[in-house]
Structures are given as structure tokens and as C-alpha cells.
Amino acid sequence: MITKANYLSDLKFNLDTWKRELQFHFSEMDTFEEKLEEIAGREFGKNATVPLENFQNRIMIEKDAISKLKHRIRNKMANINQADYNENIDGRLQNEQHTLKDDMRTYIKMHYDLKEEMMDYFREWL
């Protein structure tokens, strides 16, 4: 039982960490949207507006992805909270965790790629 409690505690820590990171990224996307609106208000022309619209769309997609990942984290946390401590560790929760871990890894890579592109864009137009 102690092994299972430690194991579940580790899974819970990962989920809490990912949840905080996603909340930060969501907030960061709000900040980027404000900067895009600032650029849009300056009316630079098509050279600025075409990438701007692309970034706005990508931010909406990213916010949707964040919401879905946060929902999955909540579901995983509920599974952990309902775990039977007398049950043998069968890897069920760990297997469920691996797909989320892979999805988080992919999301984070995509987030930082987008962030880097946007920072280059801001450097050019702000």
C-alpha cells in the first residue's frame, strides 16, 4: 500500500505541474493576443496583417488544445483520487499517464515553436 501511495503521489505531482504550466501558457496567449491587437491597430498593411491573422488563428487553436489537456488532467486526477490502495499496481494509471505525457511533450514543443515565431514577428513590427 505504501508503494502504491508513493506511486500515485508521483503521478499527482506530474499532473499538478502540467496543470500549472498550461495555466501559464494560457495566460501567455492572452498577452500575445493583446500585442497582436496593438499591431493591428497600427495598420501596417498586408505584410503585417497576413501573419497577424495566422497567429490569431493559431492562438485560438492553442487555447483549445490547452483546454482539452486541462480537462484530461482533471480526469486523470479524478482517477488517482478514486484509486483503490489495496489494488495491485497493474500499470493502468501509468499507461494512461504515458499518453498524456506524450501529448504534453508534443504540445510544449509546438507552444515554444509558436512562441519563437511570434517573438520574431513582434521584434519586426513593434
Side-chain angles (χ1 to χ4, degrees):
M1 186 166 119
I2 292 172
T3 302
K4 179 129 185 177
N6 289 336
Y7 169 75
L8 293 177
S9 175
D10 292 344
L11 292 178
K12 216 172 189 180
F13 174 79
N14 288 347
L15 293 172
D16 286 336
T17 300
W18 291 336
K19 183 179 171 186
R20 283 190 307 275
E21 185 167 7
L22 290 170
Q23 288 169 334
F24 173 76
H25 289 179
F26 196 90
S27 173
E28 191 173 49
M29 290 296 104
D30 286 340
T31 303
F32 288 156
E33 280 182 316
E34 291 172 10
K35 286 296 178 189
L36 290 173
E37 289 172 9
E38 185 179 322
I39 292 171
R42 295 183 184 178
E43 300 179 19
F44 284 116
K46 282 199 184 254
N47 288 338
T49 57
V50 170
L52 185 141
E53 291 171 1
N54 180 36
F55 286 131
Q56 288 173 327
N57 290 335
R58 289 171 69 186
I59 287 172
M60 286 190 320
I61 292 167
E62 179 153 339
K63 283 183 163 186
D64 184 56
I66 290 169
S67 294
K68 288 176 181 174
L69 286 167
K70 286 170 69 175
H71 180 72
R72 288 178 60 195
I73 288 170
R74 279 191 298 275
N75 287 342
K76 301 289 183 198
M77 194 67 80
N79 286 344
I80 289 171
N81 291 333
Q82 295 172 358
D84 179 4
Y85 287 93
N86 296 317
E87 170 187 348
N88 288 332
I89 298 176
D90 61 0
R92 178 180 56 86
L93 290 172
Q94 186 176 16
N95 288 337
E96 291 175 0
Q97 186 84 353
H98 283 304
T99 59
L100 181 57
K101 177 183 175 183
D102 293 339
D103 291 347
M104 281 297 298
R105 183 177 289 139
T106 300
Y107 161 75
I108 289 168
K109 182 185 178 334
M110 291 173 50
H111 171 80
Y112 283 103
D113 288 345
L114 172 60
K115 183 176 178 177
E116 188 175 311
E117 288 178 44
M118 290 183 71
M119 296 305 288
D120 290 343
Y121 177 78
F122 293 148
R123 201 171 15 259
E124 182 178 348
W125 295 101
L126 285 178

